[in-house]
Amino acid sequence: MTLRIAVFGENRHEKVDPKVQEIYPEGMHTVIAEGLREVLAADGVDAEVRIALLDDVEESLSEEALAQTDVLTWWGHMAHDDVPDEIAERVARRVREGMGLIPLHSAHYSKPFRLLLGTTCNLLWRNEGEEERVWTVNGSHPIARGVPHPIVIPAQEMYGEMFDIPAPDELVFISSFAGGEVFRSGCVFRRGKGKMFYFSPGDQDYPVYRQAEIRRVLANAVVWARPEEREAAPVKIANAPRDWFRDGATDAEGEAITRVI
């Protein structure tokens, strides 16, 4: 089946910051989307990649649009508060129903991510263009497939611990910086039926999303996060009659009880 991907981009720095305009004249979202198309096509993955922007968020992340989205990547930084609460809650609900979510870099502070994690998601930061090394700590994870150990990013914003998130379900990458800090830069979470992968490299001031190694990680992540082969629906809350789990069990109305989650 076709993997349907939406690349959400805030698209604010690209409008006002000359440095970002020089690095990403076509917009960060375009570079991320092109990287996904390129790597997935080379891998033989049938994928459709569309772009969703904050300026058209009511349409591009509508109920109908998200119902047709298997995996959503999210990049935001300076305009988190401009995302309507209703949209954030809609995205979080879709994740619990089975949609994959890939928050990138400053999306650690995005509304959907914080809703799903339930913590402040605060961290340390310093933007002095330091070298970052992204170390694989779970080589058997699908997201680490074909990824060099370590990935070397010549210049990047430093993100450091303590990172106020729940303990990840799995940790795929940690980063070290020239200044001595370390950071959990590749974190897997599961919420309801959905899978999430937070990946921190990718500040707007540096051409990180043009690096082949970063593109490989993102392509691996969207394939891993795609929904399972099952109905997209929330985990149910229901009164459970005695012996509901036995073959032939029925509910109070006499309807057969399904045990498929």
Side-chain angles (χ1 to χ4, degrees):
M1 294 178 61
T2 300
L3 175 57
R4 303 167 299 179
I5 304 163
V7 174
F8 175 79
E10 189 179 81
N11 197 34
R12 289 291 187 267
H13 289 281
E14 296 93 325
K15 294 181 178 180
V16 300
D17 190 327
K19 182 177 181 180
V20 180
Q21 291 168 353
E22 180 179 353
I23 298 170
Y24 295 108
E26 63 274 73
M28 297 176 68
H29 49 277
T30 301
V31 175
I32 292 169
E34 287 176 349
L36 289 171
R37 293 188 187 105
E38 174 187 309
V39 179
L40 293 173
D43 287 349
V45 177
D46 181 14
E48 294 178 356
V49 184
R50 68 179 178 90
I51 289 172
L53 299 178
L54 183 54
D55 287 339
D56 63 15
V57 70
E58 296 288 353
E59 179 179 354
S60 61
L61 297 184
S62 67
E63 293 278 8
E64 295 75 13
L66 286 176
Q68 300 300 315
T69 301
D70 296 318
V71 181
L72 172 65
T73 72
W74 191 287
W75 196 99
H77 186 199
M78 64 186 296
H80 294 309
D81 288 343
D82 292 347
V83 175
D85 290 346
E86 179 183 353
I87 300 292
E89 290 163 2
R90 182 182 302 160
V91 169
R93 183 174 69 251
R94 280 287 294 129
V95 171
R96 297 186 188 102
E97 292 173 353
M99 183 183 73
L101 179 64
I102 315 294
L104 301 173
H105 191 57
S106 294
H108 73 89
Y109 218 60
S110 64
K111 288 181 178 181
F113 192 55
R114 293 170 72 192
L115 277 172
L116 287 159
L117 294 196
T119 57
T120 68
C121 298
N122 290 344
L123 47 76
L124 296 181
W125 66 275
R126 178 179 61 253
N127 194 2
E128 296 181 358
E130 301 169 50
E131 181 185 85
E132 175 180 0
R133 297 189 180 193
V134 183
W135 305 88
T136 300
V137 295
N138 187 349
S140 65
H141 199 284
I143 294 176
R145 180 179 63 87
V147 176
H149 178 67
I151 300 172
V152 178
I153 302 173
Q156 165 67 353
E157 180 181 30
M158 185 281 292
Y159 274 7
E161 299 289 347
M162 183 187 152
F163 186 17
D164 183 24
I165 56 174
D169 295 315
E170 296 176 278
L171 186 60
V172 184
F173 303 112
I174 61 171
S175 287
S176 60
F177 292 85
E181 293 87 359
V182 296
F183 187 70
R184 289 168 290 172
S185 54
C187 302
V188 164
F189 301 93
R190 290 175 174 82
R191 292 294 183 269
K193 296 181 182 179
K195 294 180 283 187
M196 298 192 297
F197 176 65
Y198 170 73
F199 190 54
S200 67
D203 183 76
Q204 71 279 354
D205 288 343
Y206 311 99
V208 176
Y209 293 120
R210 297 191 185 278
Q211 281 194 229
E213 305 95 326
I214 301 301
R215 292 183 170 208
R216 163 53 60 195
V217 171
L218 297 187
N220 289 352
V222 296
V223 171
W224 168 83
R226 72 190 309 167
E228 305 290 341
E229 294 289 335
R230 58 184 177 182
E231 180 187 7
V235 176
K236 297 177 181 178
I237 296 176
N239 183 283
R242 185 180 296 274
D243 293 332
W244 64 268
F245 50 84
R246 301 189 187 281
D247 291 341
T250 59
D251 60 21
E253 285 73 39
E255 298 291 329
I257 295 176
T258 178
R259 300 201 302 272
V260 176
I261 293 175

